[in-house]
Coordinates of all heavy atoms in Angstrom, one line a residue:
M1 N 90.1 -23.4 27.6 CA 90.2 -24.8 27.1 C 89.0 -25.5 27.7 O 88.3 -26.2 27.0 CB 91.5 -25.3 27.4 CG 91.5 -26.8 27.2 SD 93.1 -27.7 27.4 CE 93.9 -26.9 28.7
G2 N 88.9 -25.5 29.0 CA 87.8 -26.2 29.7 C 88.1 -27.7 29.8 O 87.4 -28.5 29.2
I3 N 89.2 -28.1 30.5 CA 89.6 -29.5 30.5 C 88.5 -30.3 31.1 O 88.3 -31.5 30.7 CB 90.9 -29.6 31.4 CG1 91.8 -30.7 30.9 CG2 90.7 -30.0 32.8 CD1 92.5 -30.6 29.6
E4 N 87.7 -29.8 32.0 CA 86.5 -30.5 32.6 C 85.5 -30.9 31.5 O 85.0 -32.0 31.5 CB 85.8 -29.6 33.6 CG 84.7 -30.4 34.3 CD 84.1 -29.5 35.5 OE1 84.5 -28.4 35.6 OE2 83.3 -30.1 36.1
K5 N 85.3 -30.1 30.5 CA 84.4 -30.4 29.4 C 85.0 -31.4 28.4 O 84.2 -32.1 27.8 CB 84.1 -29.1 28.6 CG 83.2 -28.2 29.5 CD 82.9 -26.9 28.7 CE 82.1 -26.0 29.7 NZ 82.0 -24.6 29.2
L6 N 86.3 -31.5 28.4 CA 87.0 -32.4 27.4 C 87.3 -33.8 28.1 O 87.6 -34.7 27.5 CB 88.3 -31.8 26.9 CG 88.2 -30.5 26.2 CD1 89.6 -30.0 25.8 CD2 87.3 -30.7 24.9
W7 N 87.2 -33.8 29.5 CA 87.7 -34.9 30.2 C 87.2 -36.3 29.7 O 88.0 -37.2 29.6 CB 87.3 -34.7 31.7 CG 88.0 -35.7 32.6 CD1 87.5 -36.8 33.2 CD2 89.4 -35.6 33.0 NE1 88.4 -37.4 34.0 CE2 89.6 -36.7 33.9 CE3 90.4 -34.7 32.8 CZ2 90.8 -36.9 34.5 CZ3 91.6 -35.0 33.4 CH2 91.8 -36.1 34.3
D8 N 86.0 -36.4 29.5 CA 85.4 -37.7 29.1 C 85.9 -38.2 27.7 O 85.7 -39.3 27.4 CB 83.9 -37.7 29.2 CG 83.4 -37.7 30.7 OD1 84.1 -38.1 31.6 OD2 82.3 -37.1 30.9
R9 N 86.3 -37.3 26.9 CA 86.8 -37.6 25.6 C 88.3 -37.9 25.5 O 88.8 -38.3 24.5 CB 86.4 -36.4 24.6 CG 85.0 -36.2 24.5 CD 84.5 -34.9 23.9 NE 85.3 -34.4 22.8 CZ 85.2 -33.2 22.4 NH1 84.4 -32.4 22.9 NH2 86.0 -32.8 21.4
L10 N 89.0 -37.7 26.6 CA 90.4 -37.9 26.6 C 90.7 -39.4 26.8 O 90.0 -40.2 27.4 CB 91.1 -37.2 27.8 CG 91.0 -35.7 27.8 CD1 91.6 -35.1 29.1 CD2 91.6 -35.1 26.6
E11 N 91.8 -39.8 26.2 CA 92.3 -41.2 26.3 C 92.7 -41.4 27.8 O 93.1 -40.5 28.5 CB 93.5 -41.5 25.5 CG 93.2 -41.4 24.0 CD 92.4 -42.5 23.5 OE1 92.5 -43.6 24.0 OE2 91.6 -42.2 22.5
P12 N 92.5 -42.7 28.3 CA 92.8 -43.0 29.7 C 94.3 -42.6 30.1 O 94.5 -42.1 31.1 CB 92.6 -44.5 29.8 CG 91.6 -44.8 28.8 CD 91.9 -43.8 27.6
G13 N 95.2 -42.8 29.2 CA 96.6 -42.5 29.5 C 96.8 -41.0 29.6 O 97.6 -40.6 30.5
T14 N 96.1 -40.2 28.9 CA 96.2 -38.7 29.0 C 95.6 -38.3 30.3 O 96.1 -37.5 31.0 CB 95.5 -38.0 27.8 OG1 96.1 -38.5 26.6 CG2 95.6 -36.5 27.9
R15 N 94.4 -38.8 30.6 CA 93.8 -38.5 31.9 C 94.7 -38.9 33.1 O 94.8 -38.1 34.0 CB 92.4 -39.2 32.1 CG 91.4 -38.6 31.2 CD 90.0 -39.1 31.6 NE 89.8 -40.5 31.6 CZ 89.2 -41.2 30.7 NH1 88.6 -40.6 29.7 NH2 89.1 -42.5 30.8
Q16 N 95.3 -40.0 33.0 CA 96.2 -40.5 34.0 C 97.4 -39.6 34.2 O 97.8 -39.2 35.3 CB 96.6 -41.9 33.8 CG 97.4 -42.5 35.0 CD 96.5 -42.6 36.3 OE1 95.3 -43.1 36.2 NE2 97.0 -42.0 37.4
W17 N 97.9 -39.1 33.0 CA 99.1 -38.2 33.1 C 98.7 -36.9 33.8 O 99.4 -36.4 34.7 CB 99.6 -37.8 31.7 CG 100.9 -37.1 31.8 CD1 102.1 -37.6 31.7 CD2 101.0 -35.6 31.9 NE1 103.0 -36.5 31.8 CE2 102.4 -35.3 32.0 CE3 100.1 -34.6 32.0 CZ2 102.8 -34.0 32.1 CZ3 100.6 -33.3 32.2 CH2 101.9 -33.1 32.3
L18 N 97.5 -36.4 33.5 CA 97.1 -35.2 34.2 C 96.9 -35.4 35.7 O 97.2 -34.5 36.5 CB 95.8 -34.7 33.5 CG 95.9 -34.2 32.1 CD1 94.6 -34.0 31.4 CD2 96.7 -32.8 32.1
V19 N 96.3 -36.5 36.0 CA 96.1 -36.8 37.5 C 97.4 -37.1 38.2 O 97.5 -36.6 39.3 CB 95.1 -38.1 37.6 CG1 95.1 -38.6 39.0 CG2 93.7 -37.7 37.2
D20 N 98.4 -37.6 37.5 CA 99.6 -37.9 38.1 C 100.5 -36.6 38.2 O 101.5 -36.6 39.0 CB 100.4 -38.9 37.3 CG 99.9 -40.3 37.4 OD1 99.1 -40.6 38.3 OD2 100.2 -41.2 36.6
N21 N 100.1 -35.6 37.5 CA 100.9 -34.3 37.5 C 99.9 -33.1 37.8 O 99.8 -32.2 37.0 CB 101.5 -34.1 36.2 CG 102.5 -35.2 35.9 OD1 103.6 -35.1 36.3 ND2 102.1 -36.2 35.1
P22 N 99.2 -33.2 39.0 CA 98.2 -32.1 39.3 C 98.8 -30.7 39.5 O 98.0 -29.8 39.4 CB 97.6 -32.6 40.5 CG 98.6 -33.5 41.2 CD 99.4 -34.1 40.1
G23 N 100.1 -30.6 39.7 CA 100.6 -29.3 39.9 C 101.2 -28.7 38.6 O 101.6 -27.5 38.6
C24 N 101.0 -29.4 37.5 CA 101.5 -28.9 36.2 C 100.6 -27.8 35.7 O 99.4 -28.0 35.6 CB 101.6 -30.0 35.2 SG 102.3 -29.6 33.6
R25 N 101.2 -26.6 35.5 CA 100.4 -25.5 35.0 C 100.6 -25.3 33.4 O 99.8 -24.6 32.8 CB 100.8 -24.2 35.7 CG 100.5 -24.3 37.1 CD 100.3 -22.9 37.8 NE 99.3 -22.2 37.1 CZ 99.4 -20.9 36.8 NH1 100.5 -20.3 37.2 NH2 98.5 -20.2 36.2
I26 N 101.7 -25.9 32.9 CA 101.9 -25.8 31.5 C 102.0 -27.2 30.9 O 102.8 -28.0 31.3 CB 103.2 -25.0 31.2 CG1 103.1 -23.6 31.8 CG2 103.5 -25.0 29.7 CD1 104.4 -22.8 31.7
L27 N 101.1 -27.5 30.0 CA 101.1 -28.8 29.4 C 102.1 -29.0 28.3 O 102.2 -28.1 27.4 CB 99.7 -29.1 28.8 CG 98.5 -29.2 29.8 CD1 97.2 -29.4 28.9 CD2 98.7 -30.2 30.8
P28 N 102.9 -30.0 28.4 CA 103.9 -30.3 27.3 C 103.2 -30.5 26.0 O 102.1 -31.0 25.9 CB 104.7 -31.5 27.8 CG 104.0 -32.0 29.0 CD 103.0 -31.0 29.4
R29 N 103.9 -30.3 24.9 CA 103.3 -30.4 23.6 C 102.8 -31.8 23.3 O 101.9 -32.0 22.6 CB 104.2 -29.9 22.5 CG 105.5 -30.7 22.4 CD 106.4 -30.1 21.3 NE 107.7 -30.7 21.5 CZ 108.8 -30.1 21.1 NH1 108.7 -28.9 20.6 NH2 109.9 -30.6 21.3
T30 N 103.5 -32.9 23.9 CA 103.0 -34.2 23.7 C 101.6 -34.5 24.3 O 100.7 -35.1 23.7 CB 103.9 -35.3 24.3 OG1 104.2 -35.0 25.7 CG2 105.3 -35.3 23.5
V31 N 101.3 -33.8 25.4 CA 100.1 -33.9 26.1 C 99.0 -33.1 25.3 O 97.9 -33.5 25.1 CB 100.1 -33.5 27.5 CG1 98.7 -33.5 28.2 CG2 101.0 -34.4 28.3
V32 N 99.4 -31.9 24.9 CA 98.6 -31.1 24.1 C 98.1 -31.8 22.8 O 97.0 -31.8 22.4 CB 99.3 -29.7 23.7 CG1 98.4 -28.9 22.7 CG2 99.6 -28.9 25.0
A33 N 99.1 -32.5 22.1 CA 98.8 -33.2 20.9 C 97.8 -34.4 21.2 O 96.9 -34.6 20.4 CB 100.1 -33.8 20.3
A34 N 98.0 -35.1 22.3 CA 97.1 -36.2 22.7 C 95.7 -35.7 22.9 O 94.7 -36.3 22.5 CB 97.6 -36.9 23.9
I35 N 95.6 -34.5 23.6 CA 94.3 -33.9 23.8 C 93.6 -33.5 22.5 O 92.4 -33.8 22.2 CB 94.4 -32.7 24.7 CG1 94.8 -33.2 26.1 CG2 93.0 -31.9 24.8 CD1 95.1 -32.1 27.1
A36 N 94.4 -32.9 21.6 CA 93.8 -32.5 20.3 C 93.4 -33.7 19.5 O 92.4 -33.7 18.8 CB 94.9 -31.6 19.5
K37 N 94.2 -34.7 19.5 CA 93.9 -35.9 18.7 C 92.6 -36.6 19.2 O 91.7 -37.0 18.5 CB 95.0 -36.9 18.8 CG 94.8 -38.2 18.0 CD 96.0 -39.1 18.1 CE 95.7 -40.4 17.4 NZ 96.7 -41.4 17.6
A38 N 92.4 -36.7 20.6 CA 91.3 -37.3 21.2 C 90.0 -36.5 21.0 O 88.9 -37.1 20.9 CB 91.6 -37.7 22.6
T39 N 90.1 -35.2 21.1 CA 88.9 -34.4 21.2 C 88.6 -33.6 19.9 O 87.5 -33.1 19.7 CB 89.1 -33.3 22.3 OG1 90.1 -32.4 22.0 CG2 89.3 -34.0 23.6
G40 N 89.6 -33.5 19.0 CA 89.4 -32.7 17.8 C 89.5 -31.2 18.1 O 89.3 -30.3 17.3
E41 N 89.8 -30.8 19.4 CA 89.9 -29.4 19.8 C 91.3 -28.9 19.7 O 92.2 -29.6 20.1 CB 89.4 -29.3 21.3 CG 88.0 -29.7 21.5 CD 87.0 -28.8 21.0 OE1 87.2 -27.6 21.0 OE2 85.9 -29.2 20.7
E42 N 91.5 -27.8 19.0 CA 92.8 -27.2 18.9 C 93.0 -26.3 20.2 O 92.2 -25.3 20.4 CB 93.0 -26.4 17.7 CG 93.0 -27.3 16.4 CD 94.2 -28.2 16.4 OE1 95.3 -27.8 16.8 OE2 94.1 -29.3 16.0
L43 N 94.0 -26.6 21.0 CA 94.2 -25.8 22.2 C 95.2 -24.6 21.8 O 96.0 -24.7 20.9 CB 94.9 -26.6 23.2 CG 94.1 -27.9 23.6 CD1 94.9 -28.7 24.6 CD2 92.7 -27.6 24.1
E44 N 95.0 -23.5 22.6 CA 95.9 -22.4 22.4 C 97.3 -22.8 22.8 O 97.5 -23.3 23.9 CB 95.4 -21.2 23.1 CG 96.2 -19.9 22.9 CD 95.7 -18.7 23.6 OE1 94.4 -18.6 23.7 OE2 96.5 -17.9 24.0
Q45 N 98.3 -22.6 21.9 CA 99.6 -23.1 22.2 C 100.6 -21.9 22.1 O 100.4 -21.0 21.3 CB 100.1 -24.1 21.2 CG 99.2 -25.4 21.3 CD 99.6 -26.4 20.2 OE1 100.7 -26.4 19.7 NE2 98.6 -27.2 19.8
D46 N 101.7 -22.0 22.9 CA 102.8 -21.0 22.7 C 103.7 -21.4 21.6 O 103.4 -22.4 20.9 CB 103.5 -20.8 24.0 CG 104.3 -22.0 24.5 OD1 104.5 -23.0 23.7 OD2 104.7 -22.0 25.7
R47 N 104.8 -20.7 21.4 CA 105.6 -21.0 20.3 C 106.3 -22.4 20.4 O 107.0 -22.9 19.4 CB 106.6 -19.9 20.0 CG 107.6 -19.7 21.2 CD 108.4 -18.5 21.0 NE 109.2 -18.3 22.2 CZ 110.4 -17.7 22.2 NH1 110.9 -17.3 21.1 NH2 111.0 -17.5 23.4
H48 N 106.3 -22.9 21.6 CA 106.9 -24.2 21.8 C 106.0 -25.4 21.8 O 106.3 -26.5 22.0 CB 107.6 -24.3 23.2 CG 108.6 -23.2 23.4 ND1 109.8 -23.2 22.7 CD2 108.6 -22.0 24.1 CE1 110.5 -22.1 23.0 NE2 109.8 -21.4 23.9
G49 N 104.7 -25.1 21.4 CA 103.6 -26.1 21.4 C 103.0 -26.4 22.7 O 102.3 -27.4 22.8
E50 N 103.3 -25.6 23.7 CA 102.8 -25.9 25.1 C 101.5 -25.1 25.3 O 101.3 -24.1 24.6 CB 103.8 -25.6 26.1 CG 105.1 -26.4 26.0 CD 106.3 -25.9 26.8 OE1 106.4 -24.7 27.1 OE2 107.1 -26.8 27.3
T51 N 100.7 -25.5 26.2 CA 99.5 -24.9 26.6 C 99.5 -24.6 28.1 O 99.8 -25.4 28.9 CB 98.3 -25.8 26.2 OG1 98.2 -25.9 24.8 CG2 97.0 -25.1 26.7
V52 N 99.1 -23.3 28.4 CA 99.0 -22.9 29.8 C 97.6 -23.2 30.2 O 96.6 -22.8 29.6 CB 99.3 -21.4 30.0 CG1 99.1 -21.0 31.4 CG2 100.7 -21.1 29.5
L53 N 97.5 -23.9 31.4 CA 96.2 -24.2 32.0 C 95.6 -23.0 32.7 O 96.3 -22.3 33.4 CB 96.3 -25.4 32.9 CG 96.6 -26.8 32.3 CD1 96.9 -27.8 33.4 CD2 95.5 -27.2 31.4
S54 N 94.3 -22.9 32.6 CA 93.6 -21.8 33.4 C 93.5 -22.3 34.9 O 93.7 -23.5 35.2 CB 92.2 -21.6 32.8 OG 91.4 -22.8 33.2
P55 N 93.3 -21.3 35.7 CA 93.2 -21.7 37.2 C 92.0 -22.7 37.4 O 92.2 -23.6 38.2 CB 92.8 -20.3 37.9 CG 93.5 -19.3 37.0 CD 93.3 -19.9 35.6
S56 N 90.9 -22.6 36.7 CA 89.8 -23.5 36.9 C 90.2 -25.0 36.3 O 89.8 -25.9 36.9 CB 88.5 -23.1 36.2 OG 88.7 -22.9 34.8
D57 N 91.0 -25.0 35.2 CA 91.5 -26.3 34.8 C 92.4 -26.9 35.8 O 92.3 -28.1 36.1 CB 92.3 -26.1 33.5 CG 91.5 -25.8 32.3 OD1 90.3 -26.2 32.3 OD2 91.9 -25.2 31.3
C58 N 93.3 -26.1 36.4 CA 94.2 -26.6 37.4 C 93.5 -27.1 38.7 O 93.8 -28.2 39.2 CB 95.2 -25.5 37.9 SG 96.4 -25.0 36.6
E59 N 92.4 -26.4 39.1 CA 91.6 -26.8 40.2 C 90.9 -28.1 39.9 O 90.8 -29.0 40.8 CB 90.6 -25.7 40.6 CG 89.7 -26.0 41.8 CD 90.6 -26.2 43.1 OE1 91.6 -25.6 43.2 OE2 90.1 -27.0 43.9
F60 N 90.3 -28.3 38.7 CA 89.6 -29.5 38.3 C 90.6 -30.7 38.4 O 90.3 -31.7 38.9 CB 89.0 -29.4 36.9 CG 88.5 -30.6 36.4 CD1 87.2 -31.1 36.8 CD2 89.2 -31.4 35.5 CE1 86.7 -32.3 36.4 CE2 88.7 -32.6 35.0 CZ 87.5 -33.1 35.5
I61 N 91.8 -30.5 37.8 CA 92.7 -31.6 37.8 C 93.2 -32.0 39.2 O 93.3 -33.1 39.6 CB 94.0 -31.2 36.9 CG1 93.5 -31.2 35.5 CG2 95.1 -32.3 37.1 CD1 94.5 -30.5 34.5
R62 N 93.5 -31.0 40.1 CA 93.8 -31.2 41.5 C 92.7 -32.0 42.2 O 93.0 -33.0 42.9 CB 94.1 -29.9 42.2 CG 95.6 -29.5 42.1 CD 95.9 -28.4 43.1 NE 95.0 -27.2 43.0 CZ 95.3 -26.2 42.1 NH1 96.4 -26.3 41.3 NH2 94.5 -25.2 42.0
T63 N 91.5 -31.5 42.0 CA 90.4 -32.2 42.7 C 90.2 -33.6 42.2 O 90.0 -34.6 43.0 CB 89.1 -31.4 42.4 OG1 89.2 -30.1 42.9 CG2 87.9 -32.1 43.1
T64 N 90.3 -33.8 40.9 CA 90.2 -35.2 40.3 C 91.3 -36.1 40.9 O 91.1 -37.2 41.2 CB 90.2 -35.1 38.8 OG1 89.2 -34.3 38.3 CG2 90.1 -36.5 38.2
S65 N 92.5 -35.5 41.0 CA 93.7 -36.3 41.5 C 93.4 -36.7 42.9 O 93.7 -37.8 43.3 CB 94.9 -35.4 41.3 OG 96.1 -36.1 41.9
Q66 N 93.0 -35.7 43.7 CA 92.7 -36.0 45.1 C 91.6 -37.1 45.3 O 91.7 -38.0 46.1 CB 92.3 -34.7 45.9 CG 93.5 -33.8 46.0 CD 93.0 -32.4 46.4 OE1 91.8 -32.1 46.5 NE2 94.0 -31.5 46.7
L67 N 90.6 -37.0 44.5 CA 89.5 -38.0 44.6 C 90.0 -39.4 44.2 O 89.7 -40.4 44.8 CB 88.3 -37.6 43.7 CG 87.5 -36.4 44.1 CD1 86.5 -36.0 43.0 CD2 86.8 -36.8 45.4
Q68 N 90.8 -39.4 43.1 CA 91.4 -40.7 42.6 C 92.3 -41.3 43.7 O 92.2 -42.5 44.0 CB 92.1 -40.6 41.3 CG 92.6 -41.9 40.8 CD 93.2 -41.8 39.4 OE1 92.7 -41.0 38.6 NE2 94.2 -42.5 39.1
D69 N 93.1 -40.4 44.4 CA 94.0 -40.9 45.4 C 93.2 -41.4 46.6 O 93.5 -42.4 47.2 CB 94.9 -39.7 45.8 CG 96.0 -40.2 46.7 OD1 96.7 -41.2 46.4 OD2 96.2 -39.5 47.8
A70 N 92.1 -40.7 47.0 CA 91.3 -41.1 48.1 C 90.7 -42.4 47.8 O 90.6 -43.3 48.7 CB 90.3 -40.1 48.4
N71 N 90.2 -42.6 46.6 CA 89.5 -43.9 46.2 C 90.5 -45.0 46.2 O 90.1 -46.2 46.5 CB 88.8 -43.8 44.9 CG 87.6 -42.9 45.0 OD1 86.9 -42.7 46.0 ND2 87.2 -42.3 43.9
S72 N 91.7 -44.8 45.8 CA 92.7 -45.9 45.7 C 93.2 -46.3 47.1 O 93.7 -47.4 47.2 CB 93.9 -45.5 44.9 OG 94.7 -44.5 45.5
H73 N 93.0 -45.5 48.1 CA 93.4 -45.8 49.5 C 92.3 -46.4 50.4 O 92.5 -46.7 51.5 CB 94.0 -44.6 50.2 CG 95.4 -44.3 49.6 ND1 95.5 -43.4 48.6 CD2 96.6 -44.9 49.8 CE1 96.8 -43.3 48.3 NE2 97.5 -44.2 49.0
K74 N 91.0 -46.5 49.8 CA 89.9 -47.0 50.6 C 90.1 -48.5 50.8 O 90.6 -49.2 49.9 CB 88.6 -46.8 49.9 CG 88.1 -45.4 50.0 CD 86.7 -45.3 49.3 CE 86.2 -43.9 49.4 NZ 84.9 -43.8 48.7
S75 N 89.8 -49.0 52.0 CA 89.9 -50.4 52.2 C 88.6 -51.1 51.8 O 87.5 -50.5 52.0 CB 90.3 -50.7 53.6 OG 89.5 -49.9 54.5
P76 N 88.7 -52.3 51.3 CA 87.4 -53.0 50.9 C 86.5 -53.3 52.0 O 86.8 -53.4 53.1 CB 87.9 -54.2 50.2 CG 89.4 -54.2 50.3 CD 89.9 -53.0 51.1

């Protein structure tokens, strides 16, 4: 899938959901649908409409989440 390559095309709410759920390895169908709608990319889905993230996708999301968390705790 390459979530890193799709990241800038995702809606802010979808990006925030991913950042808020960095340990999620299986994306729910609502998130999969939002990604497909925003990017035009059809993700590989199981019979329930869910998508399993690759290890590199999981790492990218965890790193992005950690960076966002660190930036939100910086003092002005």
Side-chain angles (χ1 to χ4, degrees):
M1 169 173 37
I3 215 70
E4 185 174 3
K5 293 177 182 170
L6 302 176
W7 191 257
D8 291 333
R9 295 168 35 198
L10 299 177
E11 295 291 326
T14 304
R15 286 194 304 256
Q16 191 60 51
W17 188 93
L18 291 166
V19 166
D20 289 345
N21 297 279
C24 184
R25 297 204 52 223
I26 300 174
L27 297 180
R29 64 180 164 209
T30 54
V31 175
V32 174
I35 292 171
K37 182 179 177 187
T39 65
E41 301 286 332
E42 290 297 322
L43 308 178
E44 186 175 326
Q45 300 174 24
D46 65 15
R47 64 186 173 149
H48 303 291
E50 300 170 328
T51 295
V52 177
L53 292 172
S54 70
S56 61
D57 288 334
C58 292
E59 182 61 31
F60 172 77
I61 293 167
R62 269 193 301 277
T63 301
T64 302
S65 179
Q66 291 167 351
L67 289 172
Q68 183 172 324
D69 190 47
N71 288 336
S72 69
H73 288 99
K74 284 184 180 177
S75 48

